[in-house]
Amino acid sequence: MTWNLLETTPIEIVSRRERRFVSLPGLLAALARDEVDTILAARKYQLHAVHSFLCQLAALALDRAGQPAPPTRESDWADLLRGLTPDWPDDEPWTLAVDDPCRPAFLQSPCGEGEILRFEPVESPDAIDIPVAGRNHVTKAGNLNRAQAQDWIFALIAAQTISAYAYPGAPGIVRMNGGYGSRLFVGATPSLWPGRHFLRDVAVLLRARAEVLAEYSFYRASGGLALLWLVPWTSNKHDQLNITDFDPYFIEVARRLRVVADGARLSGLRGKAEGPRIYATNPNAGVKGNVGDPWAPLHLERGTAVTLQGPLDYETMAGLLFDRSKYRPALLQRIHPEDGAEGDLTLVARAVIGGEGKKSYTERIVPVPRPARSILGRASGRDTAGTIAKEMLRDVARVKGDALKPSALCYLQDAPERLDWTRTRDLDAMTSAVQQFDQQVDRIFFTRLFARLAAAPEARSDHTRTWADELACFAEAALARCIADNRKSRMRQIPAEEFANRRLDRALIDTLPLLREPCPS
């Protein structure tokens, strides 16, 4: 049985509402025709890894061939991919399972002769994939007992291109800030349909290649190593690749893995690495994830790729999108000529986060209304959005810190003269109230931001007043829920509740000055 991904059709997609199997070139062709509804076997947390892999692969192949745009025929894509691996006429680099471990296989580096005997056998693609636990799914190593070829394909893509440090011998990728970091993807797209997203990002990657090379001058403008799995990887700790030999859109492999075929059945082998696969001799190269990843924002003060410390809530997302004093936006996050002057635009952020053994998937989808979209296309408009976002976040922080928190503690502690900020049980109940408040803010934050951005300057004060009113309502509702969840005896309940509500009212007026003013007639 052949496992050549250029000739066989192991990948199941929904195309124009019909399910069908395609090859790797067939998938790229279907994306170029904008005919892909979904890639069925790719799990949600793998999708951003699959998207970036396909975009980088397409950009590399098109650049090497000198073609300006993605073709729509499967045969053309097969030729383009083979153009990246001319030294392998039998398509080993595109074959999922290759008998000879001294030859490359799809996203699998050759290993030293005899070293394969020291590899650990694994029966499931989950054993090499990222162990992600989420609200709607739980993935555990070894869970997928009836795995198909496509399950191995997507597990390989995730493990090799977005994985952090997992265990001794399994280092993290170079496109993240440290071994326990996360590869954050932030981008803009005219549509969440896979094909349109793919076409937009590939077009930007091709046009912006010179810009990337100018900024990250340690990369090779031509002839650089693009597919890292073509190069043998032994257990020698000095067997590393120098990033200055790479193409800027290189596709890395972070694990020593092999897929083994026994007839129609696939299993895996997992080897240990004595150190990271990639090193940098250039002092400006490979520093904490700052390697020109087109989806990765940079932390300006630290000069590193951004590592998420938690979910993509409104505060984190607002900073990544609009705080130009703290973050430098990713290449594919910015609005480009390919996006046009008008039309739909969605901002997307995705990442697998968490430390050793504890990972979760987080994403945030922010649709941008058309009136705001045209403004964000201008530098002055982005600056205005940043100013509005900071003002809104400041209001939220003040309401939480100066109004809601002390008012909740006032109730929980029976209106003492001095609040005790050390009582764990009270702090837990207060935190629950703050979380409810944050959930309501999160629900409307970007809708209100874009409405204020698109409003005429003289009308923005009305939006500011509406925002203040909504924050006050959210704080009152959160305090009411805190009171309802923590009932007291009747003798203590009435005065504690009265004092807390009175304190909140006074604090809101002090915190949100617009609440003092009469509503405009």
Side-chain angles (χ1 to χ4, degrees):
M1 183 173 184
T2 179
W3 302 98
N4 188 338
L5 303 185
L6 303 188
E7 297 177 350
T8 61
T9 57
I11 302 169
E12 188 176 13
I13 65 173
V14 175
S15 176
R16 296 179 175 176
R17 300 185 179 181
E18 293 184 0
R19 297 171 68 151
R20 61 188 179 98
F21 285 88
V22 295
S23 64
L24 179 58
L27 175 58
L28 290 164
L31 288 167
R33 296 191 301 268
D34 191 19
E35 292 180 357
V36 178
D37 300 338
T38 187
I39 303 172
L40 283 173
R43 297 172 177 178
K44 191 171 185 180
Y45 67 88
Q46 295 171 335
L47 285 173
H48 61 295
V50 173
H51 172 77
S52 63
F53 169 80
L54 293 172
C55 289
Q56 288 169 254
L57 186 61
L60 288 165
L62 291 167
D63 177 71
R64 292 288 170 94
Q67 292 195 21
T72 56
R73 294 193 308 175
E74 180 177 353
S75 59
D76 291 338
W77 276 111
D79 291 341
L80 286 170
L81 296 183
R82 287 189 172 107
L84 291 173
T85 56
D87 295 334
W88 302 97
D90 293 329
D91 294 337
E92 289 96 336
W94 308 109
T95 301
L96 186 59
V98 173
D99 291 337
D100 185 355
C102 295
R103 292 175 173 268
F106 178 70
L107 285 171
Q108 304 156 59
S109 300
C111 62
E113 189 171 352
E115 288 196 356
I116 197 71
L117 300 176
R118 297 195 293 272
F119 278 39
E120 173 190 4
V122 295
E123 295 301 318
S124 161
D126 279 346
I128 65 171
D129 198 359
I130 302 170
V132 174
R135 184 173 181 179
N136 297 318
H137 62 270
V138 175
T139 305
K140 296 182 178 179
N143 187 46
L144 202 55
N145 295 321
R146 297 181 179 178
Q148 299 177 334
Q150 59 185 337
D151 299 309
W152 288 96
I153 291 169
F154 299 131
L156 281 168
I157 292 173
Q160 300 289 35
T161 66
I162 66 171
S163 58
Y165 173 89
Y167 51 84
I173 62 170
V174 74
R175 287 186 172 102
M176 65 170 55
N177 179 13
Y180 291 112
S182 57
R183 188 182 177 191
L184 173 62
F185 291 74
V186 184
T189 176
S191 171
L192 293 177
W193 290 106
R196 293 188 65 190
H197 196 179
F198 168 82
L199 288 168
R200 183 266 184 187
D201 282 3
V202 171
V204 174
L205 289 175
L206 289 172
R207 182 188 53 78
R209 181 179 173 86
E211 176 187 337
V212 175
L213 285 167
E215 180 173 359
Y216 294 90
S217 57
F218 54 83
Y219 285 124
R220 291 194 177 184
S222 61
L225 181 59
L227 310 180
L228 268 57
W229 67 89
L230 300 182
V231 183
W233 188 0
T234 69
S235 59
N236 188 325
K237 66 179 180 180
H238 300 297
D239 190 4
Q240 295 179 299
L241 300 176
N242 191 335
I243 198 170
T244 59
D245 294 328
F246 294 178
D247 186 282
Y249 297 149
F250 70 95
I251 300 173
E252 68 179 300
V253 287
R255 300 278 190 272
R256 299 183 72 208
L257 301 170
R258 298 292 297 195
V259 177
V260 180
D262 183 5
R265 181 180 177 274
L266 295 172
S267 61
L269 295 170
R270 182 171 60 190
K272 290 186 177 181
E274 294 299 321
R277 181 57 165 151
I278 299 168
Y279 78 101
T281 56
N282 186 307
N284 297 318
V287 179
K288 297 185 177 180
N290 184 359
V291 293
D293 185 348
W295 288 272
L298 298 180
H299 194 291
L300 289 175
E301 183 179 351
R302 301 169 188 165
T304 66
V306 175
T307 294
L308 288 183
Q309 301 301 324
L312 287 160
D313 57 21
Y314 67 91
E315 185 174 5
T316 301
M317 194 68 178
L320 291 171
L321 295 180
F322 302 120
D323 191 347
R324 295 295 187 266
S325 65
K326 187 175 181 180
Y327 300 111
R328 179 182 176 185
L331 171 67
L332 292 169
Q333 173 186 343
R334 308 199 303 260
I335 297 175
H336 291 273
E338 289 80 1
D339 299 316
E342 297 180 353
D344 295 331
L345 185 74
T346 301
L347 301 171
V348 182
R350 298 183 170 109
V352 174
I353 60 174
E356 184 177 6
K358 297 180 179 179
K359 311 252 181 231
S360 62
Y361 173 73
T362 180
E363 74 171 8
R364 189 65 184 252
I365 310 296
V366 180
V368 181
R370 292 194 178 189
R373 181 252 179 278
S374 61
I375 296 171
L376 289 175
R378 305 189 298 267
S380 60
R382 293 191 292 273
D383 291 340
T384 301
T387 299
I388 293 172
K390 285 181 179 179
E391 291 174 355
M392 293 174 65
L393 291 172
R394 179 200 61 201
D395 291 341
V396 171
R398 287 178 177 174
V399 169
K400 287 195 293 188
D402 299 338
L404 179 55
K405 289 182 179 181
S407 299
L409 284 185
C410 177
Y411 168 75
L412 294 165
Q413 298 176 4
D414 296 326
E417 290 187 8
R418 177 173 295 181
L419 298 175
D420 184 351
W421 293 84
T422 64
R423 288 164 56 175
T424 302
R425 182 176 178 181
D426 294 343
L427 293 178
D428 288 344
M430 178 198 73
T431 300
S432 179
V434 171
Q435 289 173 343
Q436 180 187 339
F437 174 83
D438 270 334
Q439 289 171 0
Q440 296 303 312
V441 173
D442 198 277
R443 180 175 55 84
I444 68 167
F445 185 87
F446 289 102
T447 302
R448 300 299 182 264
L449 188 156
F450 292 136
R452 194 189 301 190
L453 177 66
E458 61 273 14
R460 283 181 182 159
S461 60
D462 294 337
H463 289 274
T464 304
R465 170 185 291 282
T466 300
W467 175 244
D469 290 341
E470 288 174 318
L471 293 183
C473 290
F474 294 158
E476 290 167 358
L479 179 60
R481 179 64 179 269
C482 180
I483 292 171
D485 289 346
N486 298 274
R487 304 297 293 181
K488 303 173 182 291
S489 66
R490 183 176 178 82
M491 184 176 296
R492 296 166 55 207
Q493 178 70 33
I494 295 175
E497 187 172 343
E498 181 180 341
F499 274 107
N501 282 318
R502 194 183 306 160
R503 179 166 187 159
L504 180 65
D505 290 341
R506 290 197 304 265
L508 287 173
I509 291 174
D510 292 338
T511 303
L512 300 170
L514 279 179
L515 292 177
R516 297 176 181 173
E517 302 176 8
C519 293
S521 57

